[in-house]
Amino acid sequence: MSLQSAIESGKFAISCEFGPLKGTETHEIKENIEVLKGKVDAANVTDQQSSVMRLSGLVTAALCVQGGLEPIFQMTCRDRNRIALQSDLLGAWVMGIKNVLALTGDLPALGDHPQAKGVFDLDSVTLLSAITRLNEGFDMSGNALTGKPSFFAGAVVKVESNTEASEELQIAKMQKKIAAGAKFFQTQAVYDPVSFEKFMKRVEKFNVPVMVGIIPLKNAGFAKFMNANVAGIRVPDDQIQKIAAAAKEDREKVGLEMAAVLIKKMKPMCQGVHIMAIGWEKKVPQIMAMAGL
Amino acid sequence: MILSEQKPLEEIQAYLEKDKSVFILGCNGCAQSSGSGGPKQVAEMKDKLTAAGKIVTGTKVIDFLCSKALVKSGLRGRVDQVAAADSVLVLTCGIGIQAVAASINKIVYPGCNTVNMGGTRGEWEGSERCNECGQCLLFHTGGVCPITACTKSLVSGACGGANKGKCEISKDRDCGWELIYNRLKAKGQLNRLADMIKPLDHKKIMPRPEMMSTPLYALENIAKPPAPPAPPAKPANTVKEVKA
């Protein structure tokens, strides 16, 4: 079932994500495709994640299509102006890519080419407007297309904010993204079902499907690093203690089980799950089985 | 020296649509020499807005609106007139508009676009910055510039990168959009967060040839190229408002 039909039919949608490597070696991508196809509804392909230069996400997403795994093509506004973004979108459709996740993107200064110029000609909202316009058969300047795409566009939102301004700005921007054409949302990783429930109550009236973000914990250091450095992620202390207390040989199993428990708790509150396994992509089917998906 | 030009009257009127009264501020510095906000243009703007049915509670032209100290001392005798107005229209560069918005507890609207000078910059100490985009957006953002205050120059709102109010680029740098949110909240204008702003028009960032002539302060007399026909007036940059 495609992601769009899964979401539109009300089935609990499942996505995961992986990033291309730096270089021309594609065996890892092909292995991931073999493990994940037929299991998840779709897989996000990241776009030079964290501003680190890698193999093109567009090409990787096309490899997914060829291999039988439906991709969600992540598109950031960091590296391309509106001409290149629209051109790559048309190219993506021609290669059989149906889902696009519109993102603003990280600053180049945070990646491995800090000297690069950040483009940001568009942002996540104006990119969604451009996708909507292409779906209608026109480019951003109003010129008619010869053959038009029909993308299923999504966007992201963070659940945890640590200032009033940040929380309100997230909600205001979510509304703009919906107005610009976002049909589904994936969230930043959530570890606190109580926060998530509050967030979902607040956005319920927008009537747009939300897929809760899950990152399985690998160890306590990993959790503490995310708490200190990743905006929008808050791992509660009891979960850090639980993974820290696990014996080294059990740690992986405990981390996967904790992810499965979070999915079970939050499944009734939302319309899908987005599992960001960060190196554990091949274990996604195991997490799904543990969560009863 | 900063070069500015007045926004089309239609755009200014759209900003003032819901306001009955307005106070007009001009600047005797660069805006006067740009011909966009000196005593002559402030008097003309008063006549235009009065003719359009607005009550102009007062006007004032201050030497250097980019200095918050001069803004406050310059308005000392006009406190009642400013208080009586629904909003303050400022005819000057982006720095001056931001300095006024930061100095007074009133909704402040930009009356001018600040245009690119092809690389040359004036110098001023202060936290307000203007990138001379030629399409001033300060109406939408509480008088805090999203192009210069946001590291990514985002026009649609905050990215997900802010942590405890600081930008992901540095713990010493405020999130520009959180500054915008806090200003809008303080001025009772949070509804502006729903404004859908179009991507910047990069054509407007480079100066037009007729704007490249020497300003008033120059000693030499350089012939100006003939002015081309006036461009058609365009409405404000807003596409539509999102209803919650």
Side-chain angles (χ1 to χ4, degrees), chain A residues 58-72:
Chain A
L58 175 54
V59 167
T60 307
L63 290 175
C64 289
V65 173
Q66 287 165 13
L69 174 65
E70 183 170 317
I72 300 172

Side-chain angles (χ1 to χ4, degrees), chain A residues 263-279:
Chain A
I263 295 171
K264 279 189 199 167
K265 282 187 183 164
M266 295 191 278
K267 189 179 173 207
M269 305 172 195
C270 60
Q271 292 71 37
V273 62
H274 176 58
I275 304 167
M276 297 165 270
I278 315 186

Side-chain angles (χ1 to χ4, degrees), chain B residues 65-138:
Chain B
L65 284 178
C66 46
S67 159
K68 286 183 279 235
L70 291 176
V71 171
K72 286 178 184 171
S73 63
L75 285 174
R76 203 168 285 149
R78 308 293 174 104
V79 172
D80 292 345
Q81 292 177 3
V82 173
D86 291 323
S87 58
V88 176
L89 177 69
V90 188
L91 300 178
T92 192
C93 69
I95 290 175
I97 299 163
Q98 292 181 76
V100 172
S103 302
I104 62 172
N105 186 24
K106 270 281 162 190
I107 291 168
V108 167
Y109 295 143
C112 295
N113 289 321
T114 306
V115 294
N116 198 292
M117 294 177 65
T120 58
R121 304 268 166 157
E123 282 190 12
W124 189 254
E125 289 179 11
S127 59
E128 290 79 19
R129 294 285 180 269
C130 174
N131 239 18
E132 305 162 2
C133 70
Q135 45 211 299
C136 192
L137 302 171
L138 292 167

